[in-house]
Amino acid sequence: MTRSAIIVAHGQPSDPAPAEAEIAALATSVAAHLPGWDIRSATLAAPGALDRAVAGLTAPLIFPFFIADGWFIRTALPDRLAKAGVSDGTVLTPFGLLPQVKALAGDAAAAAAQRHGWSCAETVLVIAAHGSGRSPHPAQAAGATAEAIAATHGFAAIRIGFIEEPPHLADEAAHAGLRAICLPLFVARWGHTETDIPEALRKAEFSGVLLDPLGTLPEAPKLIAGAIAGSL
């Protein structure tokens, strides 16, 4: 029996097609590290995408391409899988909660500082995170990432600024100084990373470096493949 996994992301309800294409491309990159596997993808925002992705699969692994394990992972995804007829799937740890992804976040920020000739000790790291006005899980995920980075990289300060709850990104990014890095704790370039984060940084008059979203870094496909294979 061919082993199978589905990478599931939230997507973009207002414009589902580009996000669907981006996650499909990610699945192709992940599959390159998993010969013999059937790697598929779907976003929850695209009508019918999950139903098409699970068609014909037996006991698929479900990899949530999310930063936290909030409502979408705990409630929406199991409900959608059940409605798609999946009773034998296994939902894995979300992308953002993997220890190796937390390590990637710290390494990416430290590498960015080094590229600019800054030591971590003189660099302020601002983590841009989603947050939630209703659930503690997104903030907890961001806090766990910040703690992991602090344990391995000696940044001058690590601040967390949220989009949907205080402390807000515009406040945390303000007065960060010239030697500052903003790391978006997001999986893709759609939605908040294209609008809210740049707007908050402009409001804060942030003069540091804005990195690509964590999930778009080139190391991500290999990490996802390792998480999928390592779950067996």
Side-chain angles (χ1 to χ4, degrees), residues 3-205:
R3 292 170 293 186
S4 61
I6 306 171
I7 300 170
V8 180
H10 178 260
Q12 196 168 4
S14 62
D15 188 14
E20 269 291 304
E22 188 172 331
I23 295 303
L26 173 65
T28 298
S29 297
V30 171
H33 298 283
L34 293 171
W37 283 70
D38 184 355
I39 305 296
R40 304 183 185 183
S41 65
T43 66
L44 297 179
L50 185 60
D51 300 78
R52 292 189 293 271
V54 304
L57 297 183
T58 301
L61 300 177
I62 311 298
F63 183 82
F65 196 44
F66 287 74
I67 292 296
D69 61 344
W71 180 82
F72 279 103
I73 307 303
R74 295 167 182 255
T75 302
L77 181 56
D79 180 63
R80 293 285 295 275
L81 288 169
K83 289 179 178 177
V86 178
S87 60
D88 55 358
T90 300
V91 179
L92 305 181
T93 300
F95 176 79
L97 299 186
L98 295 171
Q100 55 268 44
V101 172
K102 295 185 180 75
L104 172 61
D107 291 345
Q114 185 177 38
R115 286 195 300 271
H116 287 80
W118 311 333
S119 69
C120 288
E122 59 186 355
T123 303
V124 172
L125 174 60
V126 180
I127 296 176
H130 191 283
S132 171
R134 295 173 293 180
S135 168
H137 301 297
Q140 289 170 354
T145 299
E147 290 176 4
I149 294 173
T152 55
H153 298 83
F155 284 98
I158 300 178
R159 306 176 182 180
I160 305 174
F162 298 103
I163 300 300
E164 296 197 355
E165 67 175 279
H168 291 104
L169 177 58
D171 298 321
E172 292 302 308
H175 310 296
L178 295 175
R179 296 179 178 180
I181 292 169
C182 179
L183 173 65
L185 207 59
F186 289 80
V187 298
R189 291 187 177 89
W190 60 67
H192 295 300
T193 60
E194 292 186 328
T195 56
D196 297 308
I197 290 177
E199 181 181 345
L201 295 181
R202 284 194 296 270
K203 182 179 179 181
E205 298 183 351

